[in-house]
Amino acid sequence: MSFTGEHILSVHQFDRDSIQQIFQIARNMAPYASRQKRTKVLEGAILGNLFFEPSTRTRVSFGCAFNLLGGEVRETTGMESSALAKGESLFDTARVISSYSDVIAMRHPQAGSVAEFALGSRVPVINGGDGANEHPTQALLDLFTIERELAASGLTVDGMHIAMVGDLKHGRTVHSLSKLLCLFKNIRFTLIAPHALAMPDEITGAIETAGHQVTITDTLEGNLSADIVYQTRIQEERFSSKEEANLYRGKFRLNQQIYTRYCKSNTVIMHPLPRDSRSDANELDNDLNLNPNLAIFRQADNGVLVRMALFALTLGVADKVKDYECAVPWFSNKNA
């Protein structure tokens, strides 16, 4: 695909070649993310970071990625602090904010809202999550992480076994990742969730149509012997009440004892974060923190690389990043 000037709204935009193009550029961004070097390739450019739904990691990751390329960030957080609360349409908001920005990253609680916003934007819009629908940059960073983690064991995405665990009904991260994995071959999916929180039929059907093997279960024990275990939290904000969400909270906990008993010795543990560490949930126990196969923080680091690559591509500077390199004068222990 041609990236320059284009919106990034859905994983359906990508094929395997475009994914590998993104990943190669993401790998090239590592020296800047680790502060070995810096680049001013986007000096003077402005990112409009619009997050109308609570976010820490994704919002800061987008901002950090843009800053690392030399650009500046302007943020709006929360619906109540925006003109949308006064009845302004997404189209009008897009027309105005895009006049102030060179690219926009946006999160919104309603499915399809970011695509609607993009219709009014004069600059590229990158979807940072729209309700329970999609989260394309998360899917890309997840796939980037999966490739890297599997390569350490001599494995590839083609032919892998992935277990997805938790709230698969509302989890936009697993929806987008599953769609992206449909581009690959001979993957075995084990989908572990309460019946009421099972993966939507639309997603399961797409996986099966792509030729992959699918096992659906509501039992954690005995179903974790996979190459990748992708854990998700109960998406409390998608339920009608906290009481309803509490019916499922803490049902699928993973700790070191369960890992040792049911996982392979090299099973990689992933989670889109934040993990719910409250005592009644504790999805990924702290006793896993010293497990070398816990990839959740490497996953978050990879998000910056992938988002740097997407900014460079959409703004047409992917081949110019090195031309604007300069030294890092401050102390940094990023590689320690």
Side-chain angles (χ1 to χ4, degrees):
M1 66 179 279
S2 172
F3 287 92
T4 303
E6 295 296 321
H7 304 306
I8 305 295
L9 302 176
S10 169
V11 294
H12 291 303
Q13 295 174 243
F14 307 121
D15 57 19
R16 287 186 66 160
D17 287 342
S18 60
I19 290 168
Q20 289 309 315
Q21 182 183 1
I22 294 167
F23 288 0
Q24 181 55 56
I25 295 169
R27 287 188 284 269
N28 294 342
M29 296 299 178
Y32 311 110
S34 62
R35 314 300 198 272
Q36 296 174 30
K37 304 174 183 177
R38 56 192 179 117
T39 179
K40 297 181 179 181
V41 70
L42 290 184
E43 185 174 27
I46 295 174
L47 165 67
N49 218 21
L50 309 183
F51 275 71
F52 299 120
E53 187 178 52
S55 171
T56 301
R57 232 159 314 275
T58 304
R59 176 176 58 82
V60 175
S61 177
F62 269 114
C64 177
F66 205 74
N67 287 150
L68 286 168
L69 291 169
E72 300 179 13
V73 181
R74 301 290 182 268
E75 290 195 336
T76 294
T77 58
M79 196 81 73
E80 69 285 348
S81 63
S82 77
L84 294 173
K86 302 175 183 178
E88 184 174 59
S89 69
L90 286 169
F91 182 89
D92 286 2
T93 302
R95 293 297 286 180
V96 173
I97 300 301
S98 61
S99 71
Y100 304 154
S101 311
D102 297 288
V103 63
I104 293 170
M106 181 180 176
R107 171 172 289 186
H108 195 282
Q110 295 178 358
S113 55
V114 180
E116 181 183 348
F117 178 93
L119 293 174
S121 177
R122 302 175 235 189
V123 300
V125 175
I126 301 179
N127 186 356
D130 59 328
N133 181 35
E134 281 218 49
H135 197 347
T137 65
Q138 181 71 46
L140 287 168
L141 75 89
D142 287 342
L143 181 58
F144 185 69
T145 302
I146 289 169
E147 277 199 357
R148 285 187 150 191
E149 297 293 326
L150 291 181
S153 299
L155 302 173
T156 64
V157 177
D158 291 319
M160 75 166 178
H161 178 193
I162 183 169
M164 295 182 172
V165 184
D167 186 353
L168 306 185
K169 176 182 179 180
H170 301 107
R172 59 191 170 202
T173 62
V174 289
H175 298 170
S176 288
L177 178 58
S178 295
K179 293 174 184 176
L180 211 53
L181 290 175
C182 287
L183 296 171
F184 293 79
K185 298 177 181 178
N186 303 319
I187 296 175
R188 179 182 168 192
F189 287 78
T190 299
L191 306 178
I192 307 170
H195 177 72
L197 301 182
M199 185 76 82
D201 291 341
E202 170 198 351
I203 307 295
T204 305
I207 295 170
E208 292 176 331
T209 299
H212 303 305
Q213 179 183 342
V214 179
T215 299
I216 299 173
T217 179
D218 62 359
T219 304
L220 193 66
E221 291 77 9
N223 290 300
L224 295 174
S225 183
D227 301 309
I228 304 287
V229 170
Y230 192 106
Q231 172 76 279
T232 65
R233 68 180 176 86
I234 299 300
Q235 303 280 307
E236 182 179 313
E237 63 274 22
R238 312 285 176 218
F239 287 81
S240 59
S241 68
K242 183 176 181 179
E243 290 70 28
E244 183 185 0
N246 285 341
L247 295 175
Y248 306 102
R249 197 185 309 279
K251 298 294 185 184
F252 293 101
R253 301 183 181 191
L254 181 59
N255 57 31
Q256 186 59 50
Q257 182 180 5
I258 292 173
Y259 183 94
T260 301
R261 184 173 181 184
Y262 295 110
C263 295
K264 300 192 299 183
S265 61
N266 62 344
T267 295
V268 176
I269 307 168
M270 295 177 59
H271 191 296
L273 299 177
R275 57 174 165 171
D276 191 340
S277 296
R278 290 173 290 189
S279 60
D280 59 342
N282 205 18
E283 301 152 351
L284 293 179
D285 197 291
N286 287 334
D287 69 1
L288 289 164
N289 287 353
L290 298 180
N291 187 319
N293 296 312
L294 183 73
I296 60 176
F297 302 118
R298 295 191 291 274
Q299 196 177 345
D301 290 345
N302 289 337
V304 173
L305 300 178
V306 169
R307 290 174 177 127
M308 289 177 74
L310 289 173
F311 285 134
L313 284 163
T314 56
L315 293 178
V317 298
D319 59 345
K320 301 178 177 69
V321 176
K322 277 193 167 187
D323 297 339
Y324 292 83
E325 275 184 4
C326 49
V328 175
W330 61 83
F331 167 78
S332 176
N333 62 351
K334 290 287 183 179
N335 293 314

